[in-house]
Each structure stands twice: as C-alpha cells, then as structure tokens.
Amino acid sequence: MGNWVSDRDVDLARGFMESALTYMFDGGWVADYPGDVIEAARGHSQAVLCLEPQKIIDEFDRTLRAAKSVGENAEAVAKLRLTANTHLAGWNGSAANAYKEQMTKMEIFCDGQQTDLLQALQGLSTAFVLAIAARRSYHGLCVATEAAAINEIGEQAKRDAKFTIDILGDLAKGVLSADPRRLLSGALETMIDVGTHVYEYVMGGDADEVIGTYQRQATALLDGFQDGLLTIRDHLRRQTESVAGTEVALYEPLPLSCDVDSPDFRYETFKLAGQDEAAVGTISPRVAAERDRQAQEEHDQDSPIGRRLAGDKGAI
C-alpha cells in the first residue's frame, strides 16, 4: 500500500457519512429520507476508486524499464559506434556508406522509441495523480459531510467541517504539460502534488444545505475526474496518431549493393579506403567468380539430386 487513501478508507468514510445523514432523517432534521443521496454516494465512491494506484505504478515501472533500455543502453550504443567508427572506418564506397548510415539510423530510432515511451509514461503518471487526488478529495468530502451532519444534529461539540477538492481537469493538464524526461527518475509517488489545483470549502448550514453541498461537490468532483480522464485519452490518441504517421528511416531497405547475396553486390562498393585500384581490379573479378560459383551451388542444391541428398526422399 502506497501513500494514498485506500479503498477501505474511502468506504469507511462514506459509511460514516451515510449513518450521519440517516440519523439526521430519523431525528427529523430533513424533510425527506436521504435515500437517493446515499445511493448516489455509493456510485460516487465506486467511480473515484475505479483507478487502482498500485496497478498504475506496476505498469509505469514496466514501461519505464523499456524506455530506459531502449534509450539509455550505453553498451549497445557503444558497440554501434565502435563498429561504425572503428571496424568500418576503413571501408568506403556506396554500399559501405549506406551501411554506416544505417548504424546512425539505429541510434536515432532508439531515441525516438524512448520519446514515444515517455509520452506513454506521461499518460500513466497523470492517471496516477488523478487516482490519488480523486480518492483524497472524495474522502475529505465524506468526512466533512459527516462532521457537518453531526454539527447540525448537535449531538456533540462542533467538529471541523472543512474540506478541499482537487480540480482534477486542471490537475491533469498541469501534469501533462511538464517535461516527460523527469519521469526517467522513476519517482512516481513524488508527483502526487505536482501541479495540484485545490479549492478549500467549509461545510455548514442546515440539514438540507449539508446534503445539497455534498451533492454539488460530489458532482463537480466526478465531472473533473471525467475531464481529467478525457484529457489523458486525447493525449494518448494524439501520440498514437503521431507515431502512426511517422516514417521511420530505419525501416527503409538498404541498397541491394549492401547484400552480399544480391546480384547487385560488387566489391568496389564496399572496399578498403586507400586500396590500390589495380588491386581492386584484380579482386573484383575474383569476388564475382566466387559469387557465381556459390549461386551455382545453391542452384544445384535445389535440383532433384540436391534435394535427395538433403534428405527429401520424394525428390526422385
């Protein structure tokens, strides 16, 4: 259990509030039995508890590991750069250059993947903050309503009936507007109060006013909760559309001259820098001849005799 209002705490606060409201009816402080309010309150509590903070944290951690692996994999990046800058440094020609460029595209691709994952983390972090704030606000509203009802009944000394309500729609927009790279630290629970917009109220008045205040504030809270969820949905939709519309250079096929198995491969497109052109002139034909021999061997293996030797008893 993290640092947030639990399901049990919300249910207990709502139950105590319902008992106080029912007592007001039994004592004749309200004209009508508050059954509709009590029934609505059970729906309110279900709504604010629909997001489970721990499940959001678990998904956040899983996505964070992926973001760090793809964007901060120092070992993989080092190997890419070593290959491009050292092992391939002495090679030139169109095929060699295209191959080196592909190494750079790999780095760009990994950076882009991390950026996309950070947007997903942004949505998860906003959902987490919404879940925490909705629970906190509704719990406070129930506690204040119970206190105000008891004050109206006059059964005991006046109790503090103040409460605060997080403006959840504004809260969601505030969290989504922050720099997503801060999420790489993984300190999700430290964000509970980031960008919070809070209004403070005092619950008071006669019995009807107590009930009316609860109804208005619960409705406003759930409206803000819905607004926040829709803000997250729109954020993720925009990111999905952006990713779908992005052309990834890494996916573009390399020239056929880079593929040693391609008929377009030529030694001179992938040769050592500074190599004597005369030597290239003697090596290229030998490479071409070796490739022809390999192609012939592959063709022969595809013949009935080759397939029979490979174990295909039905080839002949």
Side-chain angles (χ1 to χ4, degrees), residues 5-298:
V5 179
S6 68
D7 291 27
R8 181 176 182 274
D9 289 339
V10 170
D11 287 336
L12 282 174
R14 176 183 53 78
F16 290 143
M17 177 190 71
E18 290 176 0
S19 296
L21 294 180
T22 301
Y23 191 21
M24 280 201 307
F25 166 78
D26 290 339
W29 279 271
V30 292
D32 298 314
Y33 180 68
D36 291 344
V37 178
I38 291 173
E39 186 65 28
R42 293 171 183 174
H44 299 157
S45 64
Q46 290 176 356
V48 299
L49 295 177
C50 70
L51 295 180
E52 297 186 34
Q54 188 57 55
K55 288 186 176 181
I56 297 174
I57 287 177
D58 293 342
E59 182 62 20
F60 180 92
D61 290 343
R62 187 188 70 82
T63 307
L64 178 64
R65 288 194 297 272
K68 286 186 173 181
S69 296
V70 74
E72 296 181 355
N73 194 329
E75 181 180 357
V77 170
K79 287 180 178 179
L80 279 173
R81 291 178 179 174
L82 179 65
T83 301
N85 299 330
T86 303
H87 300 330
L88 298 178
W91 293 90
N92 62 16
S94 59
N97 292 338
Y99 191 80
K100 292 176 188 177
E101 184 179 345
Q102 192 74 352
M103 297 280 187
T104 302
K105 290 178 181 178
M106 289 180 187
E107 282 195 58
I108 296 173
F109 174 79
C110 289
D111 288 342
Q113 290 296 293
Q114 185 184 70
T115 298
D116 294 338
L117 287 169
L118 284 175
Q119 296 300 326
L121 286 174
Q122 191 88 314
L124 286 168
S125 67
T126 307
F128 177 76
V129 174
L130 276 182
I132 299 299
R135 288 163 177 259
R136 177 175 60 197
S137 295
Y138 186 70
H139 179 269
L141 175 60
C142 289
V143 170
T145 303
E146 179 206 359
I150 291 174
N151 290 341
E152 171 64 10
I153 295 168
E155 184 179 85
Q156 61 188 54
K158 292 283 186 179
R159 293 174 55 188
D160 187 4
K162 293 181 180 179
F163 66 98
T164 59
I165 294 289
D166 290 274
I167 311 305
L168 300 182
D170 291 346
L171 175 58
K173 294 178 178 69
V175 177
L176 285 173
S177 66
D179 181 4
R181 296 195 66 82
R182 77 201 188 286
L183 298 172
L184 289 172
S185 66
L188 184 57
E189 290 196 51
T190 64
M191 297 181 53
I192 292 176
D193 292 313
V194 172
T196 303
H197 298 262
V198 177
Y199 287 165
E200 185 173 270
Y201 300 90
V202 176
M203 177 80 74
D206 60 18
D208 289 331
E209 181 60 23
V210 170
I211 291 176
T213 300
Y214 169 80
Q215 291 175 312
R216 289 192 300 273
Q217 294 302 327
T219 299
L221 176 63
L222 293 186
D223 286 346
F225 191 40
Q226 182 181 49
D227 185 25
L229 293 176
L230 292 175
T231 298
I232 297 173
R233 182 201 65 181
D234 292 343
H235 167 79
L236 294 177
R237 278 184 175 176
R238 286 193 299 272
Q239 297 309 316
T240 300
E241 292 170 359
S242 175
V243 171
T246 300
E247 294 184 4
V248 181
L250 183 65
Y251 295 163
E252 298 174 3
L254 285 167
L256 292 176
S257 58
C258 294
D259 184 0
V260 71
D261 293 324
S262 168
D264 292 335
F265 179 83
R266 297 290 183 274
Y267 178 78
E268 54 268 25
T269 65
F270 211 127
K271 63 182 179 180
L272 280 172
Q275 192 174 19
D276 182 25
E277 289 300 321
V280 174
T282 60
I283 293 174
S284 294
R286 284 157 45 197
V287 171
E290 181 63 22
R291 285 174 49 74
D292 289 342
R293 185 184 67 79
Q294 179 183 353
Q296 186 60 43
E297 287 179 353
E298 292 175 353

